[in-house]
Amino acid sequence: MFDLVNLINEPPYALPQKLKEQLYIRALSDITKHHYLKCAQYKKIIDMLGCHTEFNILAEVPFIPVRLFKEYELLSVEKSEVVKTMMSSGTSGQSVSKIFLDKVTAANQTKVLTKIVSSFIGVKRLPMLVIDTHLIVKDRNLFSARGAGVLGFSMLGYDVTYALNEKMELDLDRVEQFLKKHKDENILIFGFTFIIWQHFYKTLEKLNIKLSLGNGILIHGGGWKKLLGEAVDNSVFKARLNSATGLSKIYNYYGMVEQTGSIFMECEMGYLHSSIFSDILIRDFKDFSVLPPGQQGLIQLLSLLPVSYPGHSIITEDIGEIIGADDCRCGRKGRYFMIHGRIKKSEIRGCSDTYESIE
Amino acid sequence: MSNGLNYLVGKVGMELNPRPLRPYDPLVCDFLSQLSVALFADSQARRYPDVMSFAFWCRKANLATLKDNFSSEHLRLGVGYAFHIAPSNVPINFAFSYAFSLLAGNCNVVRVSSKDFAQTEIVCRLITGLLEKPLYGRIAEMTAFVRYGHDDEITGHFSSGCNARIIWGGDATISSIRRVPAPSRSVEMAFADRYSFCIVSTTAILNANESELNKLAKAFYNDVYLMDQDACSSPHLIVWMGDADLKAAQHKFWHRVYEEVVSNYDLQPVNAIDKYTMICEKAIELDCVVGLERNGNFIYRLQMNGLPDKVDICRGRYGLFYELKVTNLNVMARLVGTKFQTLTYFGFDKAFFCDFVVQNNLLGIDRIVPIGSALDIGVIWDGYDIVSTLSRVIDIQ
């Protein structure tokens, strides 16, 4: 049986894709078999699909849709072994994903996250500024994706300071004090893309304040959906934050609550990278066949971390494109890719749902 | 009261004339056949197959046939004033609903979908044009098309004094509208959520020649994919029956349907994900799912070794089917409840179904039509004879 322990001390971006795939074919066969035996719902799906649990190529690894975690409690361990339940932050009215973590999976998430991020910020802990409110981590029993993200990244820092107050307003005094205290150090800044934009950047812009974050490293994630509505993409985001704060090291990451820990970090070239802990395939929506680099399709995510729930291979609702493998100019091995946004919702046809209101 | 209320045909404060005509009144038939002519002549209307099928339905010859078939021993008049809640998602149904009720002899207020369908605009424009002619002054007094949001006050206004209320659009809509009272004597026609299925003969498929098979595949495509399988008469369950080889028949049929779907259907990424999610849900929920056959992401066929007691949970979207082999259709009888609407078929004769429905004393199945006719709405629909239901009998002895 594959054990992550054997991998955890390896450098996260040193394995060439070909060797990685050999490793993954064996590891994912083991992990798939584990979930097949331990999760009754997962077994039913695999049986229905008529899939094997022993693979010859990566493309054979079956995937389940992320939405399934919103509708079912999928576990591959006894419920008594669950130490943490993570919830996606769905907007009001939407159902949320529930992800069940046992001790091993939870610990691996933290270790892997640390491992990946240290490739960007170094292994030394840095003073950390969180662009969010402390309320987000208050209830530790039910982790929202936002809270879990903040807590996960907090492991990488010390003197963790929250830049926003309970009302999600910028607490300028606190931020300036923090900056004064750590003025000669590198600092880690973490937050969610939309919150940084809406509650941090826009306030600075409105008040016409320039902060001095030249020695900061910003890591942010959580999706662009809301920002794209305001025509803010990654390059606009970087440029505007840079002009307001002097920040030059800004890294976006891509990841989902279903695969917490094994995130995909944006490199210095602007591409998202898979580490040794995860991989990505792009599939044609017309038949789910695997697409070569350069073609856009649905993103399938593979992660070696999920043991307590069957989230090791999921098909997302995001559209992406693999750029290449092993040859990014940043020097990291493995696949690197770009995200092109979320799939569009379709117009519902048919007989039901007549009496809708005009919004 | 004016809050969000728009008139697409007619105007605020217009006087409606609720005095009924006889069913198939010559003026009504003439008006609808002129509407048919106008629709055929309109370049915009011609772009919409559903508008064309409405135009084809209300052409002069068809109305004459319908009139001949409408044999009432009794004297009849319309019930008076009918209020329609048209479905939001089937663009052309509002026009059919109006035409059926007008043929019954009624004056009508039709609440159209709040969605901006081009079909709504086209039909309303041409109706308005015709109603401006003095010849159709009487019809103008019987016609209003309105659009408004979810507003019980406006629904209450149009429901007060109605002699019939026609509600399209499923269970949730019906219970929402029923909270708003209508007069005690008012006739209520509610088109609820329904379930439809299909039966195919293995023998007939294997005997079908190229052109028959082509025709069948096109017909099946229309039944299912034109409305993303979400029309109440689109089939979800495909029952196979017959002595011929099942696998060979399935292969022959689905292969040709696949060719049809690939060349005509605009599959969206979100549809593929929705469908894939659905089969995973069904695998979890239904023990009788034993496998999956698929033609790309265009056709998914869940293989069943039985059916759950509530068959109508076996639903698909965008081309997802449940396939079952039976040796005798009577095994379905136990499962057919009031939710069942349309049974489409290939390779059987009418007498076979007559026996099936009557001998099993079925509570459901209101329509049994050949594959390809699932969406063909008419004055007989959902178990109602609509023109009869929307008219009253005057008993003179």
Side-chain angles (χ1 to χ4, degrees):
Chain A
M1 172 77 189
F2 166 78
D3 194 334
L4 198 71
V5 167
N6 304 325
L7 212 58
I8 207 97
N9 291 319
E10 297 292 321
Y13 296 102
L15 198 60
Q17 187 62 25
K18 212 174 161 192
L19 295 174
K20 183 177 168 182
E21 286 198 28
Q22 287 171 10
L23 168 75
Y24 267 57
I25 287 162
R26 287 198 311 276
L28 289 170
S29 295
D30 283 354
I31 297 172
T32 303
K33 222 168 296 158
H34 157 76
H35 292 302
Y36 183 81
L37 295 172
K38 295 289 173 62
C39 176
Q41 295 104 321
Y42 186 74
K43 178 179 189 299
K44 285 180 176 181
I45 292 169
I46 300 305
D47 286 343
M48 177 266 300
L49 294 171
C51 290
H52 300 284
T53 54
E54 193 69 48
F55 313 119
N56 298 309
I57 51 167
L58 217 48
E60 288 174 357
V61 182
F63 43 83
I64 64 174
V66 282
R67 225 184 292 158
L68 230 49
F69 291 97
K70 295 186 174 168
E71 290 160 30
Y72 300 97
E73 300 197 338
L74 303 175
L75 286 111
S76 302
V77 291
E78 294 300 320
K79 224 168 177 179
S80 58
E81 293 174 55
V82 172
V83 296
K84 233 198 235 180
T85 305
M86 301 215 298
M87 320 266 265
S88 66
S89 42
T91 41
S92 61
Q94 280 183 330
S95 46
V96 293
S97 291
K98 275 171 117 182
I99 306 298
F100 300 95
L101 305 180
D102 66 349
K103 230 168 139 182
V104 174
T105 306
N108 282 341
Q109 288 186 346
T110 309
K111 282 183 208 160
V112 165
L113 183 72
T114 310
K115 195 86 205 177
I116 291 172
V117 177
S118 61
S119 160
F120 292 81
I121 65 167
V123 289
K124 211 176 127 237
R125 286 190 169 211
L126 302 176
M128 181 173 173
L129 183 66
V130 175
I131 314 291
D132 214 317
T133 162
H134 71 95
L135 287 183
I136 200 77
V137 294
K138 225 177 158 191
D139 183 359
R140 296 203 174 202
N141 294 319
L142 284 178
F143 285 81
S144 71
R146 231 167 94 197
V150 168
L151 274 184
F153 275 88
S154 297
M155 305 285 176
L156 303 158
Y158 71 92
D159 192 17
V160 176
T161 301
Y162 291 86
L164 308 181
N165 65 18
E166 287 86 347
K167 293 180 196 149
M168 297 295 287
E169 296 159 345
L170 180 60
D171 189 337
L172 207 56
D173 286 347
R174 202 191 298 157
V175 172
E176 280 176 338
Q177 246 174 33
F178 173 88
L179 293 179
K180 207 168 134 194
K181 194 167 150 195
H182 301 289
K183 71 174 171 13
D184 297 323
E185 295 167 85
N186 287 330
I187 57 170
L188 170 63
I189 306 162
F190 174 77
F192 290 90
T193 313
F194 176 70
I195 288 166
I196 292 171
W197 185 258
Q198 193 69 23
H199 299 279
F200 182 70
Y201 170 73
K202 280 197 171 168
T203 307
L204 295 177
E205 187 193 38
K206 200 171 83 189
L207 303 175
N208 199 19
I209 298 170
K210 300 263 186 241
L211 286 177
S212 172
L213 298 175
N215 56 347
I217 304 167
L218 172 65
I219 296 178
H220 68 104
W224 292 92
K225 211 168 95 186
K226 286 180 186 161
L227 287 186
L228 290 176
E230 298 182 32
V232 176
D233 62 11
N234 200 3
S235 59
V236 173
F237 185 87
K238 281 183 184 171
R240 302 276 286 272
L241 268 167
N242 179 268
S243 78
T245 65
L247 262 171
S248 58
K249 292 178 177 168
I250 302 179
Y251 302 104
N252 187 214
Y253 73 87
Y254 174 66
M256 26 195 75
V257 68
E258 289 80 4
Q259 291 187 351
T260 300
S262 57
I263 58 169
F264 301 87
M265 287 282 293
E266 178 189 354
C267 73
E268 296 77 6
M269 304 295 132
Y271 296 120
L272 293 160
H273 278 258
S274 63
S275 69
I276 50 170
F277 304 104
S278 65
D279 210 344
I280 173 176
L281 291 172
I282 301 294
R283 292 193 181 261
D284 188 342
F285 73 90
K286 288 187 172 162
D287 56 9
F288 286 149
S289 60
V290 171
L291 292 171
Q295 288 193 36
Q296 295 189 16
L298 292 164
I299 294 176
Q300 179 191 354
L301 295 177
L302 302 164
S303 172
L304 302 181
L305 271 56
V307 172
S308 55
Y309 64 97
H312 59 299
S313 172
I314 53 183
I315 187 105
T316 71
E317 306 196 358
D318 294 323
I319 301 288
E321 169 189 356
I322 289 173
I323 307 300
D326 301 337
D327 58 359
C328 183
R329 283 187 291 132
C330 77
R332 293 177 182 82
K333 300 290 182 205
R335 285 198 177 103
Y336 57 105
F337 62 100
M338 281 171 77
I339 306 280
H340 295 293
R342 194 59 75 83
I343 53 176
K344 280 200 239 26
K345 289 217 167 19
S346 63
E347 185 76 11
I348 295 165
R349 288 189 265 193
C351 294
S352 49
D353 179 34
T354 297
Y355 198 61
E356 86 294 2
S357 49
I358 301 173
E359 302 288 358
Chain B
M1 191 58 236
S2 64
N3 176 32
L5 175 62
N6 273 310
Y7 277 73
L8 281 75
V9 176
K11 56 179 184 290
V12 184
M14 69 185 287
E15 286 283 321
L16 285 163
N17 182 352
R19 300 211 166 268
L21 304 174
R22 293 182 66 174
Y24 295 98
D25 183 278
L27 183 68
V28 169
C29 291
D30 176 53
F31 168 71
L32 288 175
S33 64
Q34 286 308 308
L35 178 59
S36 170
V37 171
L39 286 167
F40 277 124
D42 191 85
S43 60
Q44 269 188 300
R46 279 204 302 268
R47 279 195 262 153
Y48 295 90
D50 53 346
V51 175
M52 286 299 95
S53 70
F54 173 67
F56 186 71
W57 175 84
C58 67
R59 73 197 189 282
K60 196 173 176 182
N62 188 48
L63 295 177
T65 311
L66 290 174
K67 186 174 184 173
D68 286 345
N69 292 345
F70 185 78
S71 56
S72 178
E73 292 169 25
H74 303 284
L75 180 64
R76 279 179 177 270
L77 278 174
V79 290
Y81 156 55
F83 175 45
H84 308 239
I85 310 281
S88 68
N89 299 323
V90 188
I92 201 64
N93 263 24
F94 80 101
F96 279 107
S97 193
Y98 166 70
F100 297 159
S101 179
L102 194 64
L103 283 174
N106 299 312
C107 141
N108 303 283
V109 172
V110 182
R111 176 197 185 266
V112 304
S113 169
S114 55
K115 293 205 181 108
D116 238 345
F117 292 124
Q119 291 96 321
T120 313
E121 187 275 321
I122 293 163
V123 174
C124 287
R125 170 169 55 81
L126 292 173
I127 288 178
T128 303
L130 284 176
L131 293 181
E132 279 164 5
K133 296 185 177 176
L135 170 64
Y136 299 125
R138 179 71 165 97
I139 308 286
E141 293 170 2
M142 298 167 79
T143 304
F145 288 77
V146 297
R147 180 179 271 161
Y148 63 89
H150 191 153
D151 189 320
D152 286 354
E153 200 189 324
I154 302 177
T155 300
H157 169 76
F158 287 123
S159 296
S160 73
C162 74
N163 306 101
R165 197 158 63 167
I166 299 136
I167 312 167
W168 298 83
D171 296 358
T173 302
I174 291 164
S175 53
S176 154
I177 299 290
R178 279 191 177 154
R179 286 202 308 266
V180 180
S184 333
R185 273 280 295 164
S186 171
V187 178
E188 191 138 302
M189 284 177 74
F191 296 96
D193 293 335
R194 304 304 298 275
Y195 184 77
S196 295
F197 70 114
C198 177
I199 180 166
V200 184
S201 153
T202 52
T203 324
I205 292 290
L206 290 179
N207 288 339
N209 64 30
E210 277 298 289
S211 81
E212 285 165 339
L213 197 63
N214 274 339
K215 217 177 118 197
L216 179 66
K218 280 189 172 46
F220 186 82
Y221 173 86
N222 288 341
D223 284 355
V224 174
Y225 286 87
L226 284 187
M227 288 285 165
D228 288 337
Q229 207 177 0
D230 202 30
C232 45
S233 51
S234 295
H236 303 274
L237 167 68
I238 313 297
V239 177
W240 289 89
M241 213 173 108
D243 300 325
D245 183 58
L246 176 66
K247 282 266 172 274
Q250 283 175 323
H251 179 79
K252 189 175 172 187
F253 175 71
W254 289 115
H255 181 71
R256 189 53 59 87
V257 172
Y258 174 66
E259 291 176 340
E260 196 63 32
V261 178
V262 165
S263 50
N264 292 302
Y265 188 59
D266 180 24
L267 182 76
Q268 295 291 314
V270 67
N271 303 149
I273 290 289
D274 281 353
K275 234 157 96 168
Y276 191 71
T277 306
M278 245 183 284
I279 56 167
C280 292
E281 291 164 2
K282 295 305 172 187
I284 291 173
E285 283 162 20
L286 301 174
D287 288 333
C288 37
V289 170
V290 291
L292 173 73
E293 297 287 337
R294 48 178 152 168
N295 302 77
N297 284 341
F298 288 91
I299 302 174
Y300 283 1
R301 297 147 49 204
L302 285 170
Q303 304 300 301
M304 313 293 281
N305 67 359
L307 292 171
D309 284 346
K310 287 189 172 155
V311 186
D312 61 285
I313 61 174
C314 296
R315 280 178 188 276
R317 289 294 296 280
Y318 321 110
L320 159 61
F321 307 95
Y322 301 77
E323 271 191 298
L324 179 74
K325 165 86 201 279
V326 300
T327 42
N328 188 331
L329 191 55
N330 288 335
V331 299
M332 284 297 298
R334 182 179 65 84
L335 302 167
V336 172
T338 53
K339 282 228 155 161
F340 280 68
Q341 188 208 48
T342 298
L343 169 58
T344 43
Y345 64 88
F346 180 74
F348 298 90
D349 58 31
K350 282 191 195 177
F352 168 73
F353 294 114
C354 245
D355 290 348
F356 169 64
V357 173
V358 175
Q359 285 171 11
N360 288 298
N361 305 94
L362 296 185
L363 283 168
I365 302 184
D366 304 322
R367 300 174 69 222
I368 301 175
V369 296
I371 288 177
S373 299
L375 304 182
D376 293 354
I377 193 167
V379 288
I380 309 291
W381 186 256
D382 225 30
Y384 295 107
D385 175 341
I386 299 180
V387 173
S388 292
T389 309
L390 293 180
S391 58
R392 69 190 170 90
V393 174
I394 300 109
D395 184 19
I396 307 180
Q397 295 189 2

